[in-house]
Amino acid sequence: MKSFYITTAIDYANGKPHLGHAYEKVLTDVVARFRRLMGDDVYFLTGIDEHGQKVQQSAQARGIEPIELCDEAAVAFKGLCASLDVSNDDFIRTTEDRHKNVVRSILQKLFDQGDIYKAEYQGYYSKRAEQFLQDKDRDENGEWPALFGEVEEITESNYFFKLSQHQDWLIDHTKSNESFIYPLFRAKQVLEFLKEPINDLCISRPKERLEWGIPLPFDEDYVTYVWFDALVNYVSAVGYGTDSFEDHWPADFHVIGKDILVPPHAVYWPIMLKAADIALPKSLLVHGWWLKSGEKMSKSTGTVVDPLDLIGQFGSDAFRYFVTREMNVGHDSEFSQERYMARYNSDLANDLGNLLSRVLAMLGRGFDGVIPAPQVEEDLETELWNLWGETQPKVVALYEEFQFHTGLERTFAFISAINRYAEQRAPWKLAKSEDPEDKKRLDTSLFVMAESLRLAVGLLAPVLPQTSQKVYDLLGYEADSDWTQRLQRSEAIVGKKTGEKTILFPKPQNDA
Ligand code: MSP
């Protein structure tokens, strides 16, 4: 069976991981965990992008070898994945032989086919963007925008990959495959870009200017342009050229930020694959940016938020919850510490955490910690179960559409309804009554609270995997291996001994 193959972009090795990188990994992980729960055999790849001028320069500035810098980055980014509780199956580094060999074999194939040619190029070059610029890249005053840094005019011989001959095919492919780019409005941006004729792509850098790259197999005086190198990671990691390649390829989703859709992922990559006679990925899932004070969070603007600080203080599940709950996939979202604390305190600590503490405390007090069987069903119970009946399929459908933020909103609306049920049923009052009917109501109410909590954390599993498991353990529930079964009402927890009162999301010492 072919796996469900999902990838993140590979992060540049010359920077520290920040919230934007962490978000992309969490988003991909949420999709991966969701698909696994839905029964898919998921293969999840992430990694780092190690070649190019910026790595060479950063290493030079520190007086170390580029590979040393990359080794440090590999430790940092692998550490980030572990801290985020991300379930990746592989982590690719573009300096690995398995990758370099595939880049070289694809280049050789394209060269042999006549898809790569050498030509003299005279033009403007941006070191910062590591690309040649065209007049259309100038701003309205005819200047080069600041993002390109220092721009110099240069003449040099280079190798070019024939992109332009595939333009019509690519337009047609993008138009006729609505699921190729998600969300759909991003496809419009691609088609807009493709209205202008595209140039062939310069895929080499002369060694005298850049050494830190993969040498071209047909001319060792040049190294490979870093985007051509990096994109290939998606196929090199899953054994392009070997028998097992098709166990994973084509990728189901490449998860990327909106800044690297056009042209790398929506233009270069499909054309590279088509020319090399490799199937295209099924979809690009394009997310927006985390902003700080309205600007893209990035190293160069100095506005980065360190995900590791937040994880250290509040745990990985809280971080995963915040980014998934706040970001409408495809759009931008502003980060603020206040919003982070508001979500943490109100949704996680109060609504969810207090509900669990309450259930465990009440069971501990009157029931020796054993979950009673339900005895009656009255309007309050029926209402709650009806709400579950609507919530469960709706949330799964929203997750299928990457609407995780609304899926979580709905799940937390259900959790609030459980809290309301508890207030209205007031088991603490029922416990004082002498009426045998109230004893039945009391048993029922504790069962209903425990069971509805069990159901709710089932829906949270892709986003809050640790919390979900912790609640199952505390309720003595052995999770059914079939997730959709776990989401069905049952009496499996009746008679189970519950755990000690636990605080899932402790209030921070000071809300800083
Ligand atoms: N190395 C290239 C990708 C090569 S993929 C074959 C690159 N690296 S990056 O480190 O700059 O970005 C990695 C991913 O993080 C990209 O998908 C990018 O969009 C994402 N983010 C970087 N900053 C971001 C935010 N502020 N917000 C959300 N994601 C952003 O591009």
Side-chain angles (χ1 to χ4, degrees), residues 14-41:
N14 66 314
K16 260 179 62 165
H18 64 65
L19 180 73
H21 302 129
Y23 170 67
E24 185 170 291
K25 292 188 202 322
V26 170
L27 170 62
T28 313
D29 190 54
V30 169
V31 179
R33 285 181 187 266
F34 171 63
R35 297 297 347 162
R36 257 186 231 117
L37 291 167
M38 294 292 278
D40 284 321
D41 173 21

Side-chain angles (χ1 to χ4, degrees), residues 9-12 18 20-21 24 49 227 230-231 233-234 256-257 259-260 265 287-290 296-297:
I10 50 173
D11 304 314
Y12 286 128
H18 64 65
H21 302 129
E24 185 170 291
D49 185 356
W227 268 107
L231 287 162
N233 91 88
Y234 302 131
I256 56 168
D259 49 320
I260 58 171
H265 283 84
H287 62 77
W289 285 339
W290 280 97
K296 181 189 179 209
M297 196 178 286

Side-chain angles (χ1 to χ4, degrees), residues 124-168:
Y124 295 95
Y125 185 78
S126 153
K127 268 195 190 169
R128 179 177 302 164
E130 291 182 43
Q131 72 185 61
F132 287 99
L133 304 178
Q134 295 164 26
D135 277 330
K136 68 176 182 198
D137 296 314
R138 292 178 191 270
D139 63 18
E140 59 274 18
N141 306 320
E143 305 290 329
W144 300 114
L147 78 125
F148 293 123
E150 186 195 336
V151 175
E152 47 188 14
E153 198 175 2
I154 54 177
T155 308
E156 65 187 26
S157 285
N158 265 309
Y159 287 89
F160 291 82
F161 169 50
K162 292 183 184 168
L163 276 190
S164 47
Q165 60 185 5
H166 298 288
Q167 180 155 2
D168 290 341

Side-chain angles (χ1 to χ4, degrees), residues 106-326:
I106 291 179
L107 282 167
Q108 188 68 55
K109 178 178 163 93
L110 296 177
F111 185 72
D112 294 343
Q113 285 175 190
D115 283 319
I116 290 175
Y117 61 92
K118 193 172 188 184
E120 179 125 304
Y121 183 89
Q122 185 173 26
Y124 295 95
Y125 185 78
S126 153
K127 268 195 190 169
R128 179 177 302 164
E130 291 182 43
Q131 72 185 61
F132 287 99
L133 304 178
Q134 295 164 26
D135 277 330
K136 68 176 182 198
D137 296 314
R138 292 178 191 270
D139 63 18
E140 59 274 18
N141 306 320
E143 305 290 329
W144 300 114
L147 78 125
F148 293 123
E150 186 195 336
V151 175
E152 47 188 14
E153 198 175 2
I154 54 177
T155 308
E156 65 187 26
S157 285
N158 265 309
Y159 287 89
F160 291 82
F161 169 50
K162 292 183 184 168
L163 276 190
S164 47
Q165 60 185 5
H166 298 288
Q167 180 155 2
D168 290 341
W169 163 81
L170 184 60
I171 293 173
D172 190 50
H173 178 80
T174 311
K175 279 188 180 158
S176 54
N177 289 281
E178 286 223 328
S179 57
F180 184 50
I181 300 174
Y182 180 93
L184 197 56
F185 71 86
R186 295 266 172 229
K188 297 212 175 72
Q189 221 175 303
V190 176
L191 291 168
E192 203 53 42
F193 179 86
L194 290 172
K195 275 187 182 157
E196 298 285 321
I198 52 174
N199 294 326
D200 288 345
L201 177 67
C202 177
I203 50 118
S204 63
R205 298 292 181 263
K207 268 210 179 133
E208 63 255 28
R209 197 144 60 72
L210 177 67
E211 272 182 46
W212 186 237
I214 303 175
L216 296 182
F218 42 82
D219 189 341
E220 300 270 333
D221 289 338
Y222 292 84
V223 298
T224 312
Y225 170 47
V226 69
W227 268 107
F228 194 101
D229 162 351
L231 287 162
V232 170
N233 91 88
Y234 302 131
V235 295
S236 64
V238 291
Y240 170 73
T242 68
D243 288 346
S244 60
F245 181 54
E246 284 174 6
D247 294 350
H248 302 303
W249 194 260
D252 292 80
F253 285 98
H254 290 318
V255 180
I256 56 168
K258 65 179 187 181
D259 49 320
I260 58 171
L261 175 66
V262 186
H265 283 84
V267 180
Y268 303 160
W269 185 225
I271 294 180
M272 283 163 66
L273 291 167
K274 165 130 194 310
D277 202 18
I278 305 172
L280 297 203
K282 291 185 199 157
S283 270
L284 306 174
L285 173 55
V286 188
H287 62 77
W289 285 339
W290 280 97
L291 309 174
K292 192 89 174 85
S293 313
E295 270 190 73
K296 181 189 179 209
M297 196 178 286
S298 78
K299 197 170 66 120
S300 44
T301 55
T303 51
V304 290
V305 169
D306 186 344
L308 296 173
D309 283 350
L310 293 168
I311 297 167
Q313 284 185 72
F314 306 103
S316 59
D317 270 12
F319 179 87
R320 296 168 60 101
Y321 175 70
F322 175 78
V323 292
T324 317
R325 174 68 185 82
E326 286 288 303

